[in-house]
Amino acid sequence: MAAAVTELPDVSTAPREDDLPLLSPQMALRLARLSIVARKIASARRAGRRRTRRVGSGVETIDLRPYDTGDDTRRIAWHAYARLEKLLVRLVADEAPMRLTLVVDQSASMQYGRPSKVRQAARIAAGFAAVALNGEDRVALAVGSVGSTKTHRPVSGRAGLTRLLSMLDRTAAIGATDLPATVRCALDAAGTSASTRGVCVILSDLYEPQGVLAGAREARRRGNDVAIVEVLAPFEIEPPDLSGFDLEDEETGEIIELPEHGMRERYEAALREHRERVDEAARSIDAAIVRTTTAEPFEAIVMRALNAGLLSNSGS
Amino acid sequence: MNLIAPTFLAALALLVPVLIAFLVRRRRKVMRVPSTMVFRLGAKSVAKSKRIRDIRRLLALLACLLGVGALVFAAARPSGARGDLRVFVVDVSASMSGAPIAEARGWLEREVAAMGPNARVAIVTAGADATVALPPTPSGPLVEEAIKKLTPEKDVASMDEALALAEGLAAAGSQRGTANVIVISDQKIDAETSRSSSSNKPKLVLVGSKSDAKSDNLGVTSLYTRTAPDARDEEEREAVVTVATSSTVTRRARLVIRLANRVVRDRSIEVPASGDITERVGIRGPGKLVAKISPDDGKRDVLGLDDEASLEEITREPPRVLFVRPSPSGGAAAFFVERAIRASGVTDLTIVAPDDPSPPTKVDVAVVLAEGLARPRGVPTLYFGVEPAETGLKARSIDKKETHLRSVASEDSLLRGVAFDEMTTLRAKVATPPKGARSLVDFDGGSALIAGGAGNHAWVWVGIDPEASDLVLRVAFPVLVGNVLTQLGGTSQVVTAKTVPRSEVTLARSEALTTFDPAPAPKWRIPYSPALVIAMVGAFLLALEAYLTFRRKWAS
């Protein structure tokens, strides 16, 4: 009664493409002209290029208030005094670096594709990290699945990028998907809390048994701006006709029995429904979402991120 | 439990092809995919894991095998050893006609269905006789047929005999299980009529109690034909119809009497409250005589069985006469009597001696001139000077001094056309008419012509000595003999129709002092049967497997 398990001919992992470097020098140069877009004002303790809501030691005046005893006299707005004959003190915004947290799904389902989805996700994560670190932001990283989550504390500068690339380069798909736990680990490692928020980018195929965008919801719950990059293999978007097959889930071992006919149409409808649910969930947490495949060139993905508002041209 | 048809177990060999078919059924390819999350929306079935799927397939195989095995086993018809017996006593008296008997049939069908196939059923009908309509039989077509055949009779219910019969059956059947008796009737039955112990008294099912206007009934309680008292010949008959009602008010009814499909009487009659009325109508000729009564006042008539009565009137032949006379020739008296018999139209005349050892038995009338062993008993008889003990006559001889004619009952039909004027009689016998007899001719010395008895015991006694009277020389003698033979022959030819007894027509009810406890109404339930249960389990398992296999296909 047992039947042999077969693999789809063009969906298995391809080590040869996965061996290519995550970030070529040319790509690093192009990325240097970009910056991460935080949809809300960044918040961090360390000084950086991002304006915060807190009154601090920056240079940009955000408001005026009456002078009070003990105020720094250097902050007195003399131009206002000349016009109003009142002593007013300039309030200037504090400037802090943006905290970027990258979460890469390394569950077993990410091993599919050419290159593999996990490799593609790592490559995109490396690109985001390069952009952020080039802009003096701080970047934390978590790569995880059930029982196998690795985190990297926030880094900054070119040296930090090297360490992150090293970690991403070693990523291998294994285990079941548990993005909420991975997100929690990542945010804990980044030292973020409700008062210190940043941008969290989740890279996954979004096959989350915990619920639609469960990981993104967790990140949003902890006050982060959320961006989602969905990485699928091409056959997951346009699969061959698998009517009459029994399918075994890579992660859970679940067996489903497909009908004898018409599975392609059913799958298209099901994928459409799945994506509509994802979009609805993303809207509910005000998250941006970018969809890509393993077959898409990295440049195209960058363009797509620009179009989606995850990146902006700030370098030139 | 045993198997009624164990040969069906050979069909268990079907399990092998079922097993093979299951094993070779659709070896599907298994494809490993990143996630089945999206595929699941269009899948036929989902198993938590390959192991569970295999277990499920194994269970399905097991269900199939069990299902086939169960069906085969059910075909072998396992049956329980115990068989309770229920004896139903069904009142099939006339008052059960119409709705009550239909209700009784329905109750019986429900009860038998509820008893299950292992129980045995016996039916005893209480009609004119107590009859075992169905000996103890397992429920099935025989029982259904027996129930359908239950029809009311035009008679009263022999309930005592039926109960005794039913209790006898129950006692015999109680050795294999419990046995009890249920009486189905339209009236209460007295518990005293049962011979069972108080713990196992019959139960009673009252039917027909719902019908309204129960007391309003009209029916024919009696229909018979006889030779008319004043009949001139055998063909002249009289039909007598009695109609009764149970109503407490006078009922108007229409009585139609047909002979050979020809209406001989159609009139409206008034039937007194809780009473009856008798109608007489003269008829002539053979044919089916039907008397039909129907309400003519718009009120209800509960029973239909008693509305019509019929009998078959046949062509009347002259009576067969046995003439017993002294041997060898009988003298002048025998000569004149024989001539008179033949003159009255009798064609079938047998003449025997008084000591004839083997006289004919099939005779309608006997004419006895001499007493002896040859004289038939239980046959209407014309006696000449012979006084058998059964007539109660004590005759004495008189001479011509006392033979002066004193009176003649000329209005009596026996003496129609008979003239005794100036008759001379030298010797005769006279007797005092016994109780119930009537004197037709009185001499000074006493009655010389007496008629008495009834039916087959009717008789006419002639004390006038034919050899010592000029009566035999007169026309009156053969006329007298002819009248007597017609009358006596006619009395033995009373034809009576089978009618509903008066107590049934009037719906007479006697309140039982201690009636039986009522039987509970049959409850609807699936009749238990090992074979049926096993077959249902088998069918369920197969249906479950089929559903699990095809549910997605059906849904799409």
Side-chain angles (χ1 to χ4, degrees):
Chain A
M1 280 167 55
V5 177
T6 59
E7 303 286 355
L8 287 168
D10 58 346
V11 296
S12 58
T13 55
R16 193 178 57 80
E17 294 192 16
D18 284 4
D19 288 344
L20 295 175
L22 286 176
L23 211 56
S24 63
Q26 295 81 7
M27 182 54 63
L29 270 177
R30 284 204 291 272
L31 291 176
R33 289 176 294 184
L34 302 176
S35 65
I36 303 289
V37 172
R39 295 199 167 191
K40 297 177 182 174
I41 298 170
S43 174
R45 291 193 186 91
R46 293 188 57 172
R49 295 200 319 188
R50 308 282 173 160
R51 197 190 75 182
T52 69
R53 288 199 191 108
R54 288 183 288 116
V55 175
S57 54
V59 293
E60 189 179 348
T61 300
I62 57 173
D63 204 358
L64 296 170
R65 68 169 172 80
Y67 173 80
D68 201 2
T69 307
D71 284 342
D72 189 350
T73 54
R74 290 176 297 178
R75 300 278 185 197
I76 293 174
W78 297 110
H79 291 92
Y81 178 75
R83 287 200 305 272
L84 305 173
E85 295 183 352
K86 281 184 181 175
L87 280 176
L88 297 172
V89 177
R90 284 186 287 114
L91 296 178
V92 293
D94 199 2
E95 288 188 349
M98 186 191 71
R99 294 178 190 275
L100 174 66
T101 306
L102 296 169
V103 177
V104 178
D105 176 12
Q106 66 156 6
S107 63
S109 64
M110 296 288 284
Q111 69 179 278
Y112 287 79
R114 190 188 297 267
S116 65
K117 291 190 281 184
V118 71
R119 187 69 180 175
Q120 184 79 333
R123 187 170 289 159
I124 298 168
F128 277 112
V131 170
L133 292 174
N134 193 50
E136 299 178 14
D137 290 331
R138 295 172 63 78
V139 179
L141 173 66
V143 178
S145 59
V146 170
S148 174
T149 300
K150 295 172 195 164
T151 59
H152 199 295
R153 64 184 179 79
V155 296
S156 59
R158 295 183 185 279
L161 177 61
T162 308
R163 288 199 294 273
L164 292 182
L165 289 180
S166 172
M167 182 177 166
L168 286 169
D169 210 17
R170 294 195 303 271
T171 303
I174 188 169
T177 305
D178 190 0
L179 281 177
T182 308
V183 167
R184 273 193 297 275
C185 289
L187 295 178
D188 290 345
T192 59
S193 64
S195 59
T196 57
R197 294 168 295 187
V199 175
C200 181
V201 179
I202 297 172
L203 302 103
S204 169
D205 54 10
L206 301 179
Y207 296 141
E208 293 181 79
Q210 295 81 10
V212 178
L213 296 188
R217 288 176 193 275
E218 177 65 19
R220 186 73 188 95
R221 192 180 64 78
R222 293 181 62 158
N224 289 272
D225 280 354
V226 179
I228 301 157
V229 179
E230 182 198 65
V231 184
L232 294 179
F235 89 95
E236 290 176 292
I237 296 171
E238 290 183 5
D241 190 0
L242 296 176
S243 300
F245 276 79
D246 284 356
L247 301 186
E248 182 177 351
D249 192 294
E250 180 66 44
E251 295 181 11
T252 63
E254 180 185 75
I255 300 285
I256 64 169
E257 199 174 328
L258 298 184
E260 300 296 332
H261 307 285
M263 193 55 217
R264 188 194 296 270
E265 294 75 18
R266 287 174 188 228
Y267 182 83
E268 285 172 1
L271 181 64
R272 198 159 47 244
E273 186 182 340
H274 170 71
R275 285 188 158 178
E276 283 170 1
R277 288 180 191 170
V278 169
D279 289 344
E280 189 177 342
R283 276 195 297 275
S284 70
I285 59 174
D286 195 21
I289 184 164
V290 174
R291 290 194 166 95
T292 184
T293 67
T294 55
E296 192 169 19
F298 190 70
E299 291 80 359
I301 300 172
V302 171
M303 290 304 296
R304 193 190 294 274
L306 281 168
N307 291 335
L310 292 180
L311 298 174
S312 65
N313 276 309
S314 61
S316 58
Chain B
M1 181 175 287
N2 52 8
L3 299 174
I4 296 172
T7 50
F8 274 90
L9 290 182
L12 282 175
L14 281 174
L15 295 182
V16 177
V18 169
L19 181 64
I20 293 172
F22 203 90
L23 291 178
V24 301
R25 189 187 70 173
R26 285 187 301 122
R27 283 180 172 274
R28 294 166 66 94
K29 285 184 181 175
V30 179
M31 182 76 68
R32 189 173 287 151
V33 293
S35 174
T36 55
M37 184 178 288
V38 179
F39 286 98
R40 195 186 297 154
L41 297 172
K44 280 171 67 178
S45 66
V46 177
K48 287 296 178 190
S49 69
K50 192 187 293 182
R51 180 177 297 171
I52 289 178
R53 185 192 62 167
D54 291 344
I55 289 174
R56 207 182 63 190
R57 286 190 172 181
L58 203 61
L59 287 176
L61 170 63
L62 205 59
C64 268
L65 294 178
L66 278 175
V68 173
L71 288 178
V72 169
F73 193 62
R77 293 178 62 200
S79 65
R82 182 187 174 91
D84 293 342
L85 173 64
R86 197 158 297 175
V87 185
F88 297 100
V89 177
V90 185
D91 182 353
V92 289
S93 63
S95 60
M96 286 285 288
S97 67
I101 195 68
E103 194 179 331
R105 284 196 207 105
W107 195 94
L108 266 174
E109 284 167 358
R110 290 196 304 276
E111 179 70 8
V112 169
M115 283 167 61
N118 284 338
R120 290 172 302 139
V121 176
I123 299 177
V124 175
T125 54
D129 302 307
T131 312
V132 179
L134 180 74
T137 310
S139 60
L142 286 178
V143 178
E144 292 169 10
E145 192 178 349
I147 292 173
K148 283 178 186 166
K149 280 185 179 173
L150 290 173
T151 355
E153 299 175 3
K154 288 183 173 181
D155 220 315
V156 292
S158 307
M159 191 53 77
D160 287 356
E161 293 84 347
L163 267 176
L165 199 54
E167 287 172 347
L169 286 173
S174 62
Q175 294 162 1
R176 289 179 58 186
T178 61
N180 45 29
V181 177
I182 293 180
V183 182
I184 304 175
S185 177
D186 61 339
Q187 59 181 317
K188 293 177 181 176
I189 309 295
D190 204 321
E192 297 302 318
T193 58
S194 171
R195 294 167 183 79
S196 300
S197 61
S198 58
S199 61
N200 196 25
K201 283 285 184 196
K203 303 285 186 206
L204 176 66
V205 178
L206 270 178
V207 291
S209 55
K210 290 177 185 171
S211 69
D212 53 349
K214 179 77 180 171
S215 59
D216 268 356
N217 184 49
L218 272 170
V220 177
T221 58
S222 163
L223 169 66
Y224 65 92
T225 58
R226 62 180 182 185
T227 302
D230 53 350
R232 287 182 292 274
D233 54 43
E234 291 81 7
E235 290 296 313
E236 193 171 331
R237 304 274 291 171
E238 180 184 59
V240 182
V241 185
T242 305
V243 177
T245 182
S246 63
S247 180
T248 52
V249 296
T250 300
R251 295 289 304 271
R252 193 172 70 252
R254 183 180 174 208
L255 174 66
V256 179
I257 300 174
R258 286 186 173 86
L259 177 65
N261 287 328
R262 182 171 48 86
V263 176
V264 294
R265 174 63 59 88
D266 184 355
R267 59 167 296 196
S268 184
I269 57 174
E270 298 276 343
V271 186
S274 302
D276 50 32
I277 187 171
T278 300
E279 282 287 306
R280 290 180 171 80
V281 57
I283 58 173
R284 175 176 282 276
K288 187 176 183 182
L289 181 72
V290 180
K292 185 174 174 61
I293 190 79
S294 56
D296 204 17
D297 52 5
K299 293 181 182 173
R300 290 195 58 176
D301 181 17
V302 176
L303 302 182
L305 196 66
D306 56 1
D307 290 343
E308 189 175 294
S310 64
L311 54 82
E312 197 67 39
E313 268 290 293
I314 58 173
T315 305
R316 299 295 156 189
E317 299 291 338
R320 292 168 296 183
V321 177
L322 177 67
F323 182 30
V324 184
R325 58 157 175 71
S327 57
S329 60
F335 171 77
F336 286 116
V337 171
E338 182 185 341
R339 294 295 298 271
I341 292 172
R342 293 193 185 280
S344 65
V346 172
T347 54
D348 189 352
L349 175 64
T350 307
I351 301 171
V352 295
D355 53 353
D356 191 328
S358 56
T361 52
K362 291 184 177 179
V363 292
D364 298 321
V365 181
V367 178
V368 177
L369 202 57
E371 177 65 326
L373 291 174
R375 179 176 69 83
R377 270 63 175 175
V379 173
T381 308
L382 170 61
Y383 297 105
F384 282 94
V386 177
E387 310 88 34
E390 57 261 36
T391 57
L393 290 170
K394 289 182 179 176
R396 64 182 179 87
S397 298
I398 58 172
D399 56 15
K400 64 177 183 180
K401 295 177 186 172
E402 295 179 279
T403 58
H404 183 260
L405 190 64
R406 178 172 289 181
S407 66
V408 175
S410 56
E411 74 282 1
D412 196 291
S413 59
L414 282 174
L415 299 184
R416 189 178 58 211
V418 180
F420 291 99
D421 303 337
E422 299 177 3
M423 180 180 68
T424 302
T425 303
L426 300 177
R427 192 171 59 247
K429 282 184 175 179
V430 292
T432 306
K435 189 176 180 183
R438 62 187 189 279
S439 174
L440 302 176
V441 175
D442 284 341
F443 287 164
D444 288 344
S447 297
L449 183 59
I450 302 172
N456 287 335
H457 298 282
W459 50 266
V460 175
W461 179 77
V462 180
I464 301 168
D465 187 349
E467 293 183 354
S469 173
D470 64 351
L471 175 64
V472 295
L473 302 174
R474 301 162 71 105
V475 176
F477 187 63
V479 174
L480 172 65
V481 171
N483 286 349
V484 170
L485 291 181
T486 300
Q487 288 272 321
L488 294 182
T491 54
S492 66
Q493 292 176 355
V494 172
V495 183
T496 308
K498 178 70 179 171
T499 52
V500 176
R502 190 178 190 282
S503 61
E504 294 291 314
V505 174
T506 56
L507 304 174
R509 295 284 184 271
S510 59
E511 282 301 317
L513 295 175
T514 52
T515 186
F516 293 143
D517 293 333
K523 293 176 181 172
W524 190 94
R525 57 180 183 266
I526 297 175
Y528 166 75
S529 150
L532 183 65
V533 170
I534 292 170
M536 287 177 70
V537 169
F540 171 75
L541 290 173
L542 290 177
L544 183 66
E545 164 60 13
Y547 170 72
L548 291 176
T549 304
F550 296 108
R551 59 177 176 173
R552 284 287 179 186
K553 192 172 286 182
W554 292 340
S556 63

